[in-house]
Amino acid sequence: MASPGPADRVGGVDPEALWLDRRQPRRGRPPAHSRAEITAAAVMIADTDGLAAVTMRSVAAAIGVGVMSLYSYVPDKDTLLELMIDHAIGDQPAPPTPTGVWTEDLRTLARGQRDLMHRHPWLPAALPERQTLGPNTLAFTEHALAVLEPAGLGGQDALEAFSLVTGFVAGHVAYEVARSRAAARAGRSARELAQAQERYLHAVAESPNHPRLSRVLAEPARPVDADATFDRLLAHLVDGLAAARGTARG
Amino acid sequence: MASPGPADRVGGVDPEALWLDRRQPRRGRPPAHSRAEITAAAVMIADTDGLAAVTMRSVAAAIGVGVMSLYSYVPDKDTLLELMIDHAIGDQPAPPTPTGVWTEDLRTLARGQRDLMHRHPWLPAALPERQTLGPNTLAFTEHALAVLEPAGLGGQDALEAFSLVTGFVAGHVAYEVARSRAAARAGRSARELAQAQERYLHAVAESPNHPRLSRVLAEPARPVDADATFDRLLAHLVDGLAAARGTARG
DNA sequence: GCTATTCTCGTACTAAGTACGGGAAGTAAC
DNA sequence: GTTACTTCCCGTACTTAGTACGAGAATAGC
């Protein structure tokens, strides 16, 4: 019942108006700021205080401008989020030219993505439900296609493989970030919460319903080398893709 | 400046209070509803109208209750979300007992996850940034460990592998859902938007900066068999994991 | 200067999360 | 049954956030 529901609007940003943006007004009062400046400020806030801290008011304050002024540059907050994503994706060093050994190149690309997402921890959560088509995203996709070219996949298959890698990286980084935040909590102020969580897990471990889980929880938490873990999982993923070359669709 | 910032509170739900919930009041007015009922209503709304449609007011209306009554059952909305996740994860048929061929079992498990996420399309977006420890989640994790046992990985490695699979499934389903929503848009009302997007992509394809991307966009969109695609990618992932058994950490 | 145009932003409306506190509705003890 | 106590229900109201509106300010071209 009632209205079409918000689900319909998800991703409903007009890419033409957003990314082409061909307006060049020669008359009238010149804008004091720019889309890029606003986007950068929003990204900075998200990096520092989390995505939830990005409000039109906080962004406006960061720029030193009235709230409603933002709307001369950006139609709405959802669009701003899309701009933020593309901006963040542009925030990485120029990718090295592919060596031709595509498995190696793909790993390099994924490591770059991981670094990027660590710099912008809100990215994994922002990416799903959203299909960004900004210049940086497109450029990065182009690069991925270049990397995957020697793999001999079809175009669509290459895109698929790329999306697989991106999904893996996003998922893994989300996992890493959640973990490190939990650790930070334990070491810092909200110690009670960490303790409560530990108590709870111990209570779970007591239960006979989860024998294997109990065993794992009982294991001494081995010090994890996050980089090595990532590299290892990534290697498996890429190996799987490599094995697929040839097997793909008969 | 100001307050600790919301980023600190992410995942800051006390699992002990949430999942153990030992209160059993024998006196006083008995509750007319239950946590489970509220959670189910919220999940229903999310399934139907998207996660954004889940508001305390809409959930209360669905139950037929005043808004503030919800707070007798649930401390805040964030907690409700966590309950929703665990509830959704519990919404799958009892997993078949492992056959012992772990690669096959793992694939079965992943297919189940995919079905689940298609039934609850908001799940992929809700999972990151949140570490759910509810009974259904734990039970499912236990099952995953059972499935992976024959693989001979260590406990922590098994958890890692499981999280890898989950991340892959979530990422892929998010991709699938985004795609199908775009298709639905094209076929239905907001046709202009789909056209704008198409125009935009054509404009991009014209540009000489993205030769490979242009080529892919020019390809006739081949009719994709979503199930087959998923199975194929999944197979590669599992193969990668299988190859890792033994290689893992010297 | 005049004017058309564009940017700026105070005001205000709406939606959503939720603190507060007064009742209403039960149960246990008498 | 009455009393006392406990727990639940939820109207009211405050706060924060997104954003429509429109008046005023600033600027380029005439």
Side-chain angles (χ1 to χ4, degrees), chain A residues 4-202:
Chain A
D8 291 326
R9 275 187 318 151
V10 165
V13 177
D14 178 354
E16 218 175 12
L18 220 194
W19 303 114
L20 294 183
D21 195 23
R22 289 262 172 272
R23 61 180 177 165
Q24 31 190 356
R26 283 252 153 272
R27 278 183 299 207
R29 183 178 178 173
H33 303 273
S34 69
R35 213 169 244 198
E37 187 184 352
I38 290 172
T39 306
V43 167
M44 178 91 59
I45 294 174
D47 292 346
T48 308
D49 298 327
L51 200 53
V54 176
T55 69
M56 297 308 265
R57 287 167 226 267
S58 68
V59 173
I63 301 282
V65 108
V67 191
M68 292 314 291
S69 299
L70 296 182
Y71 288 90
S72 331
Y73 300 92
V74 160
D76 55 29
K77 194 190 176 185
D78 207 64
T79 301
L80 177 57
L81 234 187
E82 203 131 339
L83 288 166
M84 287 171 64
I85 292 174
D86 195 68
H87 180 96
I89 288 181
D91 170 35
Q92 43 187 339
T97 35
T99 65
V101 186
W102 69 270
T103 53
E104 185 52 51
D105 291 337
L106 188 56
R107 275 198 291 266
T108 303
L109 179 144
R111 284 192 205 101
Q113 278 187 305
R114 175 167 173 258
D115 292 342
L116 180 74
M117 292 189 195
H118 271 293
R119 251 171 300 148
H120 307 292
W122 45 273
L123 217 38
L127 285 180
E129 315 225 2
R130 217 170 297 275
Q131 190 179 5
T132 309
L133 296 173
N136 293 325
T137 305
L138 291 181
F140 193 64
T141 305
E142 174 71 22
H143 177 244
L145 287 178
V147 159
L148 283 169
E149 196 148 75
L153 303 169
Q156 318 242 352
D157 291 324
L159 276 186
E160 219 173 74
F162 175 51
S163 119
L164 176 65
V165 171
T166 301
F168 156 65
V169 176
H172 189 76
V173 171
Y175 183 76
E176 287 180 321
V177 169
R179 257 197 151 4
S180 78
R181 262 205 285 251
R185 253 206 314 269
R188 232 175 354 122
S189 55
R191 179 173 298 267
E192 328 132 8
L193 202 152
Q195 287 178 347
Q197 182 156 330
E198 195 164 332
R199 269 201 308 276
Y200 173 70
L201 285 178
H202 273 295

Side-chain angles (χ1 to χ4, degrees), chain B residues 164-178:
Chain B
L164 176 63
V165 171
T166 302
F168 156 65
V169 176
H172 190 75
V173 171
Y175 184 75
E176 287 180 322
V177 169

Side-chain angles (χ1 to χ4, degrees), chain B residues 8-9 21 47 92 108 132 150 161 165 169 198 224 230 245 248:
Chain B
D8 291 324
R9 276 186 320 154
D21 194 23
D47 291 347
Q92 43 188 339
T108 303
T132 309
V165 171
V169 176
E198 195 164 333
V224 284
F230 176 79
R245 205 200 25 164

Side-chain angles (χ1 to χ4, degrees), chain B residues 26-30 54-57 67-68 71 76-77:
Chain B
R26 284 250 153 273
R27 281 184 295 206
R29 180 178 182 176
V54 177
T55 69
M56 297 309 263
R57 285 165 227 267
V67 191
M68 293 313 292
Y71 288 91
D76 55 28
K77 194 189 176 184

Side-chain angles (χ1 to χ4, degrees), chain B residues 129-178:
Chain B
E129 315 224 2
R130 217 170 299 272
Q131 188 178 5
T132 309
L133 297 173
N136 293 325
T137 306
L138 291 181
F140 192 64
T141 305
E142 174 70 22
H143 176 245
L145 286 178
V147 159
L148 283 168
E149 197 148 74
L153 302 169
Q156 318 242 351
D157 290 326
L159 277 185
E160 219 171 77
F162 175 51
S163 118
L164 176 63
V165 171
T166 302
F168 156 65
V169 176
H172 190 75
V173 171
Y175 184 75
E176 287 180 322
V177 169

